[in-house]
Amino acid sequence: REDLLEQQAKKERLATFGQLVGSIGHELRNPLGVMETSLYILRSRLNGDERALKHADRIGEQLLIANHIITDLLDLIRD
């Protein structure tokens, strides 16, 4: 009986963790989307400034990494 209660408590904790991760992932995706859109507009206005474009590319790479981390976490809780 104690084992069953412990397993049930573990399942409940994992479910709560999954809900938390899902909520955080959703809340982080919103500002990342705004940043991606703003970066797109910014790139179109840099007019060939190679130094500025290099920095914009770095920002874009970091946005991709952040989105990938969120996707991995959401995939983890789905399993």
Side-chain angles (χ1 to χ4, degrees), residues 8-20:
Q8 181 64 29
K10 184 177 179 180
K11 286 180 184 180
E12 289 174 7
R13 284 193 305 272
L14 287 174
T16 301
F17 177 71
Q19 290 173 346
L20 179 64

Side-chain angles (χ1 to χ4, degrees), residues 40-58:
Y40 176 81
I41 293 168
L42 179 64
R43 280 183 173 147
S44 70
R45 296 181 181 180
L46 290 178
N47 296 326
D49 182 344
E50 292 301 318
R51 188 172 176 195
L53 283 169
K54 183 178 177 181
H55 287 285
D57 288 343
R58 286 182 182 168

Side-chain angles (χ1 to χ4, degrees), residues 39 43 54-66:
L39 183 60
R43 280 183 173 147
K54 183 178 177 181
H55 287 285
D57 288 343
R58 286 182 182 168
I59 293 168
E61 289 169 7
Q62 296 305 308
L63 287 170
L64 286 173
I65 290 169

Side-chain angles (χ1 to χ4, degrees), residues 17-49:
F17 177 71
Q19 290 173 346
L20 179 64
V21 169
S23 177
I24 291 171
H26 176 74
E27 292 301 320
L28 288 175
R29 282 251 166 98
N30 289 335
L32 289 175
V34 171
M35 288 182 231
E36 288 174 338
T37 302
S38 298
L39 183 60
Y40 176 81
I41 293 168
L42 179 64
R43 280 183 173 147
S44 70
R45 296 181 181 180
L46 290 178
N47 296 326
D49 182 344

